Amino acid sequence: MPTGGEALVAALEQLGVEVVFGLPGVHNLAAWRAFAGSGVRLVGVRHEQTAAYAADGWARATGRLGVALTTTGPGAANAVTATGEAWSCHSPVLVIATDIPTAQRVPGQYRGVLHECTDQASFFRPVTKEVVHVERAEDLFAEVLRAGRLAMAAPRRPVYLEVPTDLLRAEVDGWFEAPVPVGPSSTVLVDDAVGALLEARRPLVWAGGGATAAKAGGLVRLVAERIGAPVLTSFGGRGLLAPSAPCLVPLPPHAPEAGALWDAADCVLVVGSDLDAMNTQGFRQPRPPTLVTVDVAEPVTYPPDVWVAADAAAALLAVLDALPARRRSPWWHRPEGRSTYAGQETEFLEALESGLPSNAVVVADMCVAGYWYGAFGRVGGARGLAYPVGWGTLGFGFPAALGAALSRRPTVALVGDGGFLFACGELATAAQERLPVTVVLVDDGGYGMLRYDFTKDGEQPLGCDLATPDFVALATAFGVPAREVTVGGLGAAVADGIASGGPSLLVLRAAFGPPLSTSPRWYRAAGRG
């Protein structure tokens, strides 16, 4: 008879999962055995935090469910930080962890069982959509299906599934596909939204991660063209429109030229965005005279005049059907691109982009180079940028890129010397699994952003300068091809790394100043506009 571990794997197959990232432990070996011969690739990593980051990277690059598998106690706890990042950025991730055997669990007591916690699931409650605890082996198949579907349901966010280890070894009579949940059908009501757009003389569209999740980039463009509106995107909406799209504002909202368009608009259509603090410069972005929001979740930070509670694609289709067919002339002029901020950072971005195919995914860490690409890089397509702007978790870039690298899209990790060391041991994973990821490591000898935070106030930096290894030698020791590059040679080196089909590391020694998208440089901050 099949085991609970086999039921778990069968449920993942039913969910269409192609890859799972995990680390084996004594409590989850029955699940590891069940992956043998299945259609799911199991990628073993060197740390459980990487398992969740990689699952997040896969989810961001593909739009599909990312899965991380950990063992009990410290193994599960190691995944919490990465789960929090997935939560804040609306990534559909399923974290599966084992718990101690049911026969050894005494509610309310800690008895020193290996890896025991009194309430392991409590680690995850603040950073997940739901906690699912499986109590019977017979329920495993259905509960895994439910948890995976819940993570993928809008608004997407991580779900934590906990399985006592003895249930994975237990025999089950069989499993059956759980019924596909069918939500109530409803007509999307957009009359008030369309009325507000038609009354506006200076409409503007702001698109975010919800539009990305709904694959609504083309619809965003069509609506914007129909009403003559500029399109601003949050970090979650980067790549929704091609860089050449005439309606796209080629600057982040943190640039004064882009912010001036928001300020001049008399009606803003927000599509799938939280309008969070990072994108609105600490909520200093003024509320427009009329605000129309399309989102499955009720807006919180900027209460709208009209809320269309629907999937972005469904709502925009209804809006298009109701709008007059004739295009309205744009009321705005497209601002200059990043050339306004010309300097070595712009030269770096142009060099990097020259080596990127249009379908590339750049996974940027919380480093100065990552800040520049996240705000000013030309993202070729939807899901072309993975950026930890939610929690701001330093060390995200490299391990998340390991998951994105399996998306069949060319993948580049853009990291700094400080954040890369959080997970440099995963070079072993990249080499062993032959993961096609090109790492661009910008080495400025420490935490460049923190160094700036000190020096901008005339203070002496403390704790910002780091003793770093020879990164080329380090990668080579793991069997990963590596070399130092200049800005002039960066594009060709990136193209070579991608063409190799395996992992590679490029080290660029450079120190950049932070862009306008970083909080010390927000122009809307007190006293500066």
Side-chain angles (χ1 to χ4, degrees):
M1 291 205 307
T3 65
E6 290 170 328
L8 183 151
V9 173
L12 293 177
E13 289 181 305
Q14 186 69 41
L15 288 166
V17 172
E18 292 184 25
V19 59
V20 170
F21 303 91
L23 199 150
V26 64
H27 282 168
N28 68 10
L29 289 181
W32 277 72
R33 293 188 190 99
F35 281 99
S38 75
V40 181
R41 178 176 178 179
L42 183 56
V43 175
V45 299
R46 274 36 181 196
H47 195 278
E48 290 89 357
Q49 189 173 97
T50 292
Y53 274 144
D56 185 1
W58 163 270
R60 297 195 201 204
T62 64
R64 298 169 59 190
L65 181 67
V67 181
L69 176 63
T70 84
T71 189
T72 316
N78 281 341
V80 173
T81 295
T83 306
E85 174 56 42
W87 158 264
S88 64
C89 285
H90 290 273
S91 282
V93 171
L94 176 60
V95 179
I96 301 172
T98 50
D99 191 17
I100 65 171
T102 54
Q104 297 179 359
R105 169 69 67 195
V106 176
Q109 293 185 22
Y110 173 79
R111 303 193 302 152
V113 178
L114 180 65
H115 300 332
E116 181 182 7
C117 299
T118 55
D119 187 2
Q120 177 177 293
S122 288
F123 294 153
F124 291 90
R125 285 194 173 91
V127 293
T128 54
K129 197 173 184 179
E130 186 170 320
V131 165
V132 177
H133 183 83
V134 182
E135 298 184 353
R136 303 187 314 152
E138 292 79 4
D139 298 333
L140 250 171
F141 183 83
E143 289 291 75
V144 173
L145 277 179
R146 182 173 75 86
R149 288 169 177 165
L150 180 61
M152 288 293 292
R156 295 177 171 186
R157 272 185 160 146
V159 171
Y160 171 72
L161 180 91
E162 187 172 274
V163 186
T165 186
D166 54 321
L167 301 191
L168 295 174
R169 298 189 301 268
E171 293 184 341
V172 294
D173 290 337
W175 56 82
F176 305 92
E177 181 180 358
V180 177
V182 178
S185 60
S186 60
T187 302
V188 181
L189 302 177
V190 296
D191 290 352
D192 290 343
V194 171
L197 293 174
L198 291 177
E199 290 179 10
R201 296 178 60 191
R202 298 179 303 280
L204 179 144
V205 178
W206 173 291
T212 299
K215 301 179 181 178
L219 294 170
V220 168
R221 178 180 58 80
L222 289 172
V223 169
E225 291 174 347
R226 190 79 63 87
I227 63 176
V231 178
L232 287 172
T233 64
S234 68
F235 290 112
R238 302 280 277 111
L240 266 175
L241 276 64
S244 60
C247 59
L248 177 67
V249 178
L251 292 169
H254 310 84
E257 301 94 324
L261 292 173
W262 172 283
D263 295 346
D266 57 2
C267 178
V268 173
L269 171 63
V270 175
V271 184
S273 174
D274 295 332
L275 292 176
D276 60 29
M278 186 64 71
N279 285 284
T280 62
Q281 299 178 59
F283 308 116
R284 294 183 178 91
Q285 203 157 278
R287 190 186 185 283
T290 302
L291 183 62
V292 178
T293 299
V294 173
D295 207 326
V296 290
E298 184 174 2
V300 176
T301 58
Y302 285 72
D305 299 289
V306 179
W307 171 34
V308 180
D311 170 83
L316 292 180
L317 277 171
V319 168
L320 277 171
D321 285 343
L323 285 172
R326 184 172 178 271
R327 289 188 182 184
R328 192 187 303 180
S329 298
W331 60 270
W332 61 289
H333 296 288
R334 200 170 197 254
E336 293 282 337
R338 66 189 182 211
S339 59
T340 307
Y341 308 96
Q344 63 170 346
E345 295 86 5
T346 302
E347 295 171 9
F348 161 73
L349 291 176
E350 290 176 351
L352 173 64
E353 290 161 355
S354 70
L356 296 175
S358 61
N359 64 334
V361 180
V362 175
V363 185
D365 207 352
M366 293 295 285
C367 60
V368 177
Y371 301 148
W372 274 102
Y373 188 83
F376 289 93
R378 296 188 181 100
V379 182
R383 301 190 177 279
L385 170 68
Y387 184 47
V389 72
W391 254 21
T393 46
L394 181 59
F396 163 90
F398 178 45
L402 300 181
L406 290 175
S407 68
R408 302 181 185 91
R409 297 174 63 179
T411 301
V412 171
L414 181 54
V415 303
D417 50 303
F420 179 72
L421 289 175
F422 280 38
C424 63
E426 300 299 343
L427 286 166
T429 300
Q432 181 170 333
E433 298 287 337
R434 189 67 183 161
L435 299 178
V437 58
T438 300
V439 181
V440 175
L441 191 159
V442 180
D443 184 359
D444 64 1
Y447 298 124
M449 188 68 229
L450 300 180
R451 192 183 289 132
Y452 175 84
D453 286 334
F454 277 107
T455 58
K456 71 179 174 62
D457 296 325
E459 298 178 86
Q460 182 67 31
L462 297 173
C464 302
D465 298 324
L466 300 177
T468 53
D470 180 336
F471 288 108
V472 171
L474 176 66
T476 303
F478 282 101
V480 173
R483 58 183 165 124
E484 289 197 16
V485 297
T486 62
V487 170
L490 179 61
V494 167
D496 289 344
I498 292 172
S500 74
S504 61
L505 176 76
L506 306 173
V507 180
L508 174 66
R509 297 188 185 276
F512 301 139
L516 298 177
S517 55
T518 55
S519 56
R521 298 201 61 198
W522 285 344
Y523 80 90
R524 293 190 189 272
R528 285 183 282 154

